[in-house]
Structure formats: C-alpha cells, structure tokens
Amino acid sequence: MKQYHTLALKELLAQRVTSVLILLAIILSTMMTAVIGQSIGILSAMRQQQAIAIGGNRHAGFVQMTAQQLETLQNDPRLSFAGSSVVVGSAQLDNTLILGLSEFHEDVRTVYPSISAVKEGRLPAAPMEIALPEDVLGYLGFSGGLGDTISLSLSKALRHGVMTQSYDFTAEFTLVGITESNYMSYAAGSINGIAGPGTAEALLPEEYFYYNVDIRMADKGAFQATMDDLTASLHVHELDTVYNIPYLEALGIRYSQEAADVTDTSSTGFPFMMAAGILVGGLILLAAGLVIYNILKIAVSRRVTQYGVLRAMGADKGQLYFLVAAQVLLLCAAGIPLGLLLGTLSAKGILTAATGLLSPKIFLARDAGQLSRLIEENSSGKGLFLLASAAITLIFAMIAALPAARYAARVAPTVAMAGRQVKIKRRGRKAKKIRNFEAFYARLNLKRSRGRTAITVLSLVMSITVFITLQGAVDLLDAAGSGLAEHYGDYSITNEAAGFSPEEYQAMEDDPQVAELTAMQFSLYDQGADGYPVGIGFGFPLQPGETFHVVGLNAAYWDRAFSALPPETLEKLKAGEGCMVRNPLPLVFEGQELPRTSIQTGDVITVAGQELEVLATMNGYDTYLSVGNNGFVNGVQVVVNEDLYAALTGKTAYNWLLPALAEGVDREGFDGTVEALAGRVPGTLWLSYEDTDRQLAESFQQIQFLAWGLILFVAFIGLLNIVNTVYTNIHTRVAEIGMQRAIGMSAGSLFRVFLWEGTYYGMIAAVMGSIAGYICTIFVEAATTDTIRLAAIPVVPILEAGALAVAACLLATCIPLRRISKMSVVEAIEAVE
C-alpha cells in the first residue's frame, strides 16, 4: 500500500463519532491557545507602548555630551538613532515636584510622545518659545493664555565627577503651547516642559551648554556590548549613562545587571498575566491531550485485527505509525484553523475581562478606561503568536497520539489476526448479596479497562479541581464585597503637596450638598544625622530607619476610624487634650529584631516644645494613617486634632477630604464642584467612590464570567472523554448487550447500568477533585497571606462540584445511549466484536 493517508481518511469517515470528539478537542484547545497567544501579543505591544510613554522611544542615553561626542554617536553605524536635546534648566514647583525645561533637536513627538501631546496651541519652533503642561501653569499661578509672556527662575546643574555646581538665572518665555498633563511623571517627582530650538544657546554660558543624547541600537542582540564599547571609547562616566529599563525589558533586550539593580521597571503586571495565561493554556492542552490519547487508544484497540492484516500484507512499523498519525494530522488540518479563528475573535474580550481583576497601574495605565483603549489599539492580529499557538497545539496532539501509534505499530500479525484472547482472573471473593444489580454490573464494567477508567476520571478531576480552586480565588479577588471597598465618604480628594486651605475646607463643609466631611492633615519628617526628626522638635531621638509623622484628624474622622476607643478617651482626643501614638512596626534582620521606638499609654511626650499626654497607642498596620492610603512609611505617628496639628506643625492645610453627599444630591453636579476645586488647587487628585465601586462590581462580574468560562471549557473537554468511553463500551459490547436483552433484561435496566457507570465516574472524580481542589485552595490563600496553613474547607464549592460532576456525567452518558434504543436484539447477537 503506497498511500496510507487515503486509508487514514477512510478510517476517519468510518468512525465519525470518534473523529468528531477528537476534532472538538483540537478546536477547543487551539481556540484557548490562540486566545492566550493573542493576549500575550497584545500585552507585549501594550508593554512596549507604555514603556515608551514612561521612558521614551529610546534604548539608552548619555548626558553631558560634547558636540564632538554627539557627532561620533550620530555617525556610528551600530546606532539606528541618535537624537540630542539640551536641558535649559529646572524650577522647583513645590517640595516634591520639579519642572525640567529642555529643547529637542529632533521631533520630540517621536521620542517622547507622553510629554509632547498638545492640548492647545503648538510645540515651540523658535528660541524663547515654550510649551508647558496644563497642571504646571496652575502651579506657577499663571492666569494668561497663549502668546503671553511667562517668567521662570531656573537652575542648570553641571557635574564634574561627583561634584556639582549650578548656574541660576531668570528668563522670560513666550507661551505657544499647552500640553496634556502627564501624571505618571508625579511618581518620579519631575514634570517636563519643552523650549524652542536655540533657547539654551541664548541663555546658558558655554560651559553649561552640553547635550543629552538618546540612542537606539541597530542590533538589539549586541546592545550591552555596544554600550560598553561606546562608554569606553567616549570616556563616558557611569553616572552619565542612562538605561531605559522599562523599554529594554519590553523588547526583551539583555542589559547589565548593574543597571537593573538601580532601576524599578514597575511592570510586574505583564509577566504575571503571561504566566497565568501559560498556566491556563497548559491545563487546557493537558485535558485535550488526555481526550485524544484515550479516544485513539480505544479506536486502535478496536481495529487491532485490521492492523494485523496490514502487517501480514507487508506494512512495516513506520507505515502504521504514519497511519495513526495521519488521522490526527487530518483532524488538526480541519480543527486548528477553525480554533485559531474563534480564538482571534474572542481574544480581545477575554483579555479585557481578565485585566479587570488587576489595578490598571501595574499595566502602566492611569485608569481602566486608558487600559481598555490600549487593548483596543493593540488588538490587531499577532501572526507570530497565532503561528506559535497552532504549532503548540499540533505538537501536543501528536504527542497524545504517539502511544496509540506505537501500539498499532507493535501489533504482531499472527496474534492480531487470531483475535485477542481475554484471560479472566478470578480473585477470591466473599459471597455478598447484590442489592442493586445495575449498580453492581456497572462497577464490574469499570474494572474491565482500568486504564480507560483512570483517564476518564482524571480528565474530570482536572475540571473539579479548577472549579474549587477558582471559586476560592474569585472570592479572594472580590474587592467589591471586601474591606477594600470601605470608605468614609462618597469622594476622595487629595493634595499631598500644598493641601487645601481652611477656607476651601470650610466651603466644602458648608456646602448643602455635603452631609458630612471627613478630613485629614498629614506631615512627614525624615530623621536627621543626630537621630532627631528634621523640621520639628521631638523629646528623644528616633531609632535607625524610623521617620516621624504628625497627623491631624477632624471630628468626623475620629468618629469614623476610632469609634472602638473608650468614649471618654475619644472625646479627649477630639478636644485636643492629648494625643494618640502609633509605634513603629518591628523589623527583623537576619533573625534579630532591630531596636525600635516604643511609647506606652500614659506616657508624656514632647513635640514642638509642647508636652502631650499619650491617651492611646496602636501597634501593627491596622488603621494606618496616610494621605489617600498611599503606602506605609515606618515610623512614629502622633495623631491629634486639627488645633493641635496647627500648633505643632505650623500648618493649617488639609491634605485629604472625604465628603459624604446628602440624600438625593446630583452626583454629576457635585463632580463639577470637585473639578472646580481641582482647577483652583494644582496637584489635586480626586475620584468618585461610586465609580470605583461600580468598576469593582463590574470587574468581579467579569472575573466570575472568566472563571466559569474556564471551568466549563475544561469540563467540556473532560466530558468528551466520558461520551467516548460510554460510546466505546456500547460498541465493544454489542453482542453482550444483545444477549442480555434476549434473556430478559429490559431496555430501562440496561440504561440504568450505563447511567450507574456515569454516576460512578462523577462520584470518584468528585472525591479526588475535591481533595486536589482543597490543596490548591491552601496555596491560593497562601499567596495572599504569605503563610501556608490549613484553610477552611470550601464545603459549598465541594458540594456544588460533586453535584455538577455527577449531573454532567449523567448527561454525557445519555448521549450515546440512543444507540441502545435503536439496537435490534437479533442483529446485536449476530454482531462480531
């Protein structure tokens, strides 16, 4: 026989049920791998786009370059791009933000798109023209418009080795453009402005005029070698070399570990999502592989006589290998393209739902809206990832087919043509009363092919494990129903730098739309060389590594956050008759707890020259106080009322306002009030808790949808195994079934035998899957608590999983039973297995 693929096609057409089951498994696994491949492609494109938004479209950069060094870099063939800019100077906006003004000699929009998005006007094109972000104009108190003159006091630094000197000057510029505010710059403490070409030359002395050069490599694989050679040949100081780490990581470019040690990529969300996708894909491929393996092994064992005839006619082992493999290849040729199409169509929606369970900030996006736009912009077809998805599915399908092909190739012609002799081994058994014959007979049938039963049960165990694990994981991710969603008002309005004046605070408190206003004042003081806080007096030195905080709370905040305190203590704190102190958290290094400040209730401490009685103390992280919950800074917190805060710090501004609206207030109208406040006070950030609560609820619904989708996906693949197993049991026992019907077994009794088989499949899988699911639940909870301990047994998910597994098995069993109802008793007895 010369063309075995023709025989392979005929066998597929002859065994239509088997072929359809394998085809479905291939389509489903290809669809999921395509979704994962597309999602990884979209995430990769998003990561690169956002890395450019943060650090620019550049691989690295050099600062303080001379004109000769710039020319050398621009003529170096190893660089695909070498663009220059000159820092004109910087201006201190407040104690946390600096305005950096630069002129660019290439199109700034292609290198730094995030700082050059024009909202009004245009980008500078001539000396002394300037474009500034909208929020910077508010910081500067500028009330003019485009074409008006703006005066800036700037400072330009010049470093010689590790020594730095600066040139201070004041200049007047013409405002020609207003750019979009880029709040990602706030994390780095700098905001960028753009000056027209020639500005630096007109304002700076010759020794302060130097270039910053941004470069991109032509050969990304030789990045580090090229960087090392450039720094050596140009004699560039290591402090003058800048790596754009987020972009390098997004492109997969290798760089020196020294650069990685000093830079935070802030991109953990991308590899997290990719790892989760790969794990899910592996699970799906494993389930599909079990289906293909089981179905093919059964199909080959049923046709063992045919393979023996082929061997007797001269077919060698390789041809029989090809015969079985060709069947899988033909099914893959039909199933993989359809799976790729379905996966491509659904990838964007699934990824949008999946990213809803994480904060947009870990994807370098400001909010969920921007994250959705990024996914939309990068959702075009990813050919390379689709090709990889098809290849992975094909490889897994062929691996699953190998055992069956090997079994077919090793068939001995004489043994196969003589027919299989079944050896019956009878073990010593005690005589027992059979209470239910159908159930007893079903248990015997399960033992006929233990391997087939094990594979079928294993595919179900995977589904139940996924169900129980995801049920627990989804509950942990339900931020909408957890304490994370608790808040003291309907809005959060923060300004960490300047804060809100008492007049702004009073105006909001008197607003009839506001039922209650909760507010916080916050000051943080670092530790000086002598151990005492810098900027405020304290009675004794702090321990190493500690900071000092003074927190002021209004009466509403005291009532909300500390209602558990004794009423008399709470009233004294609200009246300013003492303070509450939070002690620093204990820090352990190499098994030893470091010394820390410890203040007890009843102690008297001195702050800013005033003696304060400590009325209450707190330890641990609970109810930790910070503006907008921005994070933990270990140190001593002294919490007082508003009047004591002003007396201790000399500040009267409020840093965090939490207004709760009165009944029936129009939220859109109050949004305008908050926006007006943000416009008057630069650096203000605000959000509506109604919006965040709704987004959390919608996000949790998406998470549930994804979880159930994955559960049903894996379960459906597992059910294919049950359908095939029952179908095979019926087909291989046709004569036996005919004989049973002939001696008086009713069709209903025969049906119940197979239904009991399905029930046993579900019950065994439910027990094993529940144990595996509980173990996975322990690890899921350990991921959130960093402690592995016995978790509460998820009784409800286990019962639900067991009931669903049995119901699904019964449903899958009913599908092949139609064959029995149409079976003729005489034809069945005459059939040859």
Side-chain angles (χ1 to χ4, degrees):
M1 183 171 292
K2 296 181 180 180
Q3 295 182 344
Y4 277 79
H5 63 274
T6 304
L7 180 58
L9 180 60
K10 290 182 178 179
E11 288 196 354
L12 289 179
L13 295 176
Q15 302 290 333
R16 292 198 264 305
V17 175
T18 298
S19 301
V20 169
L21 293 175
I22 297 177
L23 182 63
L24 285 174
I26 291 173
I27 291 174
L28 292 175
S29 58
T30 306
M31 177 182 172
M32 181 55 71
T33 53
V35 167
I36 295 169
Q38 280 288 90
S39 299
I40 291 176
I42 294 172
L43 286 172
S44 179
M46 287 169 55
R47 189 179 186 184
Q48 293 180 26
Q49 182 176 341
Q50 290 297 80
I52 290 174
I54 289 179
N57 186 12
R58 61 192 181 112
H59 297 157
F62 299 109
V63 300
Q64 290 197 173
M65 295 287 100
T66 64
Q68 183 178 359
Q69 289 173 316
L70 172 61
E71 184 179 0
T72 302
L73 290 170
Q74 290 176 334
N75 295 328
D76 194 317
R78 296 172 295 179
L79 304 181
S80 61
F81 172 81
S84 63
S85 61
V86 178
V87 175
V88 178
S90 61
Q92 190 79 34
L93 298 177
D94 59 25
N95 58 348
T96 60
L97 286 176
I98 296 175
L99 168 66
L101 188 63
S102 302
E103 67 171 65
F104 295 87
H105 300 155
E106 280 75 27
D107 187 356
V108 64
R109 291 167 293 189
T110 62
V111 185
Y112 296 99
S114 60
I115 69 171
S116 55
V118 177
K119 184 174 183 179
E120 295 182 42
R122 59 176 175 82
L123 292 177
M128 308 310 293
E129 290 184 343
I130 192 175
L132 294 176
E134 185 178 26
D135 53 343
V136 170
L137 297 176
Y139 271 104
L140 298 173
F142 181 74
S143 58
L146 296 176
D148 291 343
T149 299
I150 184 169
S151 179
L152 293 176
S153 297
L154 302 171
S155 177
K156 176 67 181 288
L158 178 65
R159 186 178 63 246
H160 301 277
V162 296
M163 300 298 295
T164 303
Q165 62 187 58
S166 62
Y167 171 67
D168 301 325
F169 62 97
T170 300
E172 293 187 347
F173 302 89
T174 302
L175 183 67
V176 297
I178 299 175
T179 58
E180 297 281 356
S181 298
N182 179 20
Y183 293 104
M184 285 188 292
S185 299
Y186 278 70
S190 63
I191 306 176
N192 298 287
I194 303 171
T199 301
E201 187 176 1
L203 295 175
L204 298 175
E206 182 178 354
E207 64 270 21
Y208 282 87
F209 187 91
Y210 55 80
Y211 298 92
N212 293 344
V213 185
D214 300 318
I215 62 173
R216 293 195 293 268
M217 301 294 178
D219 182 5
K220 299 181 180 65
F223 170 80
Q224 193 57 57
T226 304
M227 286 295 296
D228 292 341
D229 182 66
L230 288 175
T231 54
S233 60
L234 296 176
H235 306 289
V236 181
H237 193 280
E238 61 179 3
L239 296 177
D240 293 337
T241 304
V242 180
Y243 288 73
N244 189 4
I245 300 297
Y247 195 37
L248 294 177
E249 294 225 342
L251 294 174
I253 297 177
R254 294 174 177 264
Y255 54 88
S256 68
Q257 188 60 42
E258 288 78 7
D261 291 340
V262 297
T263 309
D264 179 16
T265 65
S266 300
S267 59
T268 55
F270 294 97
F272 172 80
M273 289 294 293
M274 290 182 186
I278 293 172
L279 180 62
V280 171
L283 187 64
I284 297 295
L285 289 171
L286 179 60
L290 289 174
V291 172
I292 296 171
Y293 164 78
N294 194 30
I295 294 174
L296 279 179
K297 187 68 182 295
I298 294 172
V300 169
S301 64
R302 293 203 328 242
R303 295 196 291 268
V304 68
T305 302
Q306 176 184 332
Y307 294 135
V309 173
L310 292 176
R311 289 295 306 277
M313 293 171 59
D316 57 30
K317 291 183 178 181
Q319 289 173 317
L320 292 184
Y321 258 111
F322 175 77
L323 178 61
V324 177
Q327 297 178 47
V328 178
L329 288 174
L330 289 172
L331 291 173
C332 285
I336 287 179
L338 182 57
L340 291 177
L341 177 61
L342 294 174
T344 302
L345 294 176
S346 56
K348 186 180 73 172
I350 292 177
L351 180 62
T352 302
T355 53
L357 62 89
L358 299 172
S359 168
K361 292 183 179 179
I362 68 174
F363 295 98
L364 312 180
R366 285 197 302 267
D367 50 40
Q370 187 188 29
L371 181 59
S372 298
R373 289 193 297 273
L374 286 171
I375 295 175
E376 179 71 32
E377 294 169 2
N378 293 280
S379 293
S380 58
K382 309 296 178 184
L384 182 61
F385 290 98
L386 288 177
L387 182 62
S389 302
I392 291 172
T393 305
L394 180 61
I395 291 171
F396 264 80
M398 295 307 298
I399 291 174
L402 281 178
R406 185 170 178 267
Y407 178 74
R410 296 179 64 185
V411 170
T414 55
V415 175
M417 296 176 68
R420 292 185 300 170
Q421 296 180 355
V422 179
K423 296 182 179 180
I424 300 175
K425 297 180 180 179
R426 297 188 179 276
R427 298 179 176 87
R429 295 179 297 178
K430 295 180 180 179
K432 294 182 179 179
K433 182 180 180 179
I434 299 175
R435 301 182 183 278
N436 187 314
F437 175 76
E438 290 90 350
F440 172 76
Y441 192 42
R443 291 195 296 271
L444 291 181
N445 287 339
L446 293 182
K447 298 177 182 179
R448 287 187 174 190
S449 179
R450 298 178 186 272
R452 184 190 308 167
T453 300
I455 294 295
T456 304
V457 170
L458 180 59
S459 61
L460 274 175
V461 168
M462 293 172 58
S463 304
I464 296 171
T465 302
V466 170
F467 176 85
I468 296 174
T469 304
L470 288 182
Q471 286 284 84
V474 166
D475 290 339
L476 291 174
L477 291 170
D478 182 11
S482 69
L484 292 176
E486 294 180 1
H487 39 73
Y488 297 151
D490 296 315
Y491 288 79
S492 171
I493 311 170
T494 61
N495 190 302
E496 299 181 50
F500 307 100
S501 67
E503 292 75 21
E504 295 283 6
Y505 167 82
Q506 194 62 46
M508 179 164 289
E509 189 175 40
D510 294 340
D511 192 326
Q513 301 176 95
V514 177
E516 182 183 56
L517 180 60
T518 304
M520 178 191 294
Q521 301 164 301
F522 188 90
S523 292
L524 185 148
Y525 301 91
D526 293 323
Q527 184 180 150
D530 57 358
Y532 288 89
V534 177
I536 191 170
F538 190 50
F540 50 86
L542 303 171
Q543 295 293 338
E546 295 178 350
T547 56
F548 187 75
H549 314 168
V550 179
V551 183
L553 304 179
N554 71 346
Y557 206 117
W558 280 111
D559 290 334
R560 288 274 194 155
F562 301 106
S563 58
L565 289 174
E568 60 276 8
T569 301
L570 182 59
E571 289 303 317
K572 285 185 177 181
L573 289 169
K574 290 165 61 177
E577 298 177 8
C579 68
M580 180 170 63
V581 171
R582 173 183 296 282
N583 289 309
L585 293 181
L587 300 177
V588 178
F589 180 73
E590 295 183 351
Q592 297 292 325
E593 182 176 327
L594 301 179
R596 62 189 179 105
T597 300
S598 179
I599 299 173
Q600 305 300 322
T601 301
D603 291 349
V604 176
I605 61 174
T606 303
V607 181
Q610 294 196 36
E611 292 187 350
L612 301 175
E613 181 184 357
V614 179
L615 300 175
T617 55
M618 296 180 293
N619 295 284
Y621 190 77
D622 290 341
T623 63
Y624 177 80
L625 300 171
S626 63
V627 177
N629 297 322
N630 275 338
F632 171 74
V633 180
N634 200 28
V636 178
Q637 284 196 330
V638 176
V639 189
V640 295
N641 76 342
E642 302 155 288
D643 295 333
L644 263 181
Y645 177 86
L648 298 177
T649 64
K651 302 176 184 178
T652 57
Y654 294 82
N655 302 99
W656 194 11
L657 304 179
L658 294 151
L661 300 187
E663 188 72 25
V665 171
D666 179 19
R667 282 186 173 268
E668 292 187 2
F670 193 75
D671 286 349
T673 301
V674 178
E675 288 176 354
L677 174 63
R680 293 192 301 271
V681 185
T684 297
L685 301 176
W686 68 279
L687 61 85
S688 168
Y689 282 126
E690 180 189 45
D691 295 336
T692 57
D693 289 344
R694 185 179 64 253
Q695 289 175 358
L696 286 171
E698 293 173 352
S699 175
F700 182 57
Q701 291 174 357
Q702 292 174 342
I703 296 169
Q704 288 182 311
F705 174 78
L706 273 176
W708 275 104
L710 179 58
I711 291 167
L712 295 176
F713 209 91
V714 179
F716 184 70
I717 293 178
L719 292 180
L720 293 178
N721 248 330
I722 301 173
V723 173
N724 175 70
T725 300
V726 177
Y727 173 81
T728 303
N729 289 341
I730 295 173
H731 181 82
T732 57
R733 302 205 298 260
V734 170
E736 178 184 326
I737 291 172
M739 185 63 69
Q740 290 169 337
R741 292 291 308 279
I743 64 177
M745 178 177 280
S746 66
S749 181
L750 192 59
F751 278 15
R752 286 191 289 275
V753 171
F754 287 97
L755 290 174
W756 269 109
E757 286 186 32
T759 302
Y760 283 129
Y761 281 131
M763 292 171 62
I764 296 171
V767 173
M768 298 174 62
S770 297
I771 296 173
Y774 176 64
I775 295 173
C776 292
T777 301
I778 292 174
F779 285 101
V780 168
E781 291 199 6
T784 61
T785 62
D786 290 331
T787 303
I788 296 180
R789 55 185 175 83
L790 292 178
I793 297 176
V795 177
V796 174
I798 287 176
L799 294 177
E800 290 176 347
L804 289 173
V806 173
C809 288
L810 291 175
L811 178 62
T813 304
C814 290
I815 297 174
L817 286 182
R818 295 179 57 191
R819 181 179 178 87
I820 295 179
S821 63
K822 299 178 180 179
M823 188 179 296
S824 168
V825 176
V826 176
E827 293 177 357
I829 295 175
E830 293 178 347
V832 179
E833 290 192 32

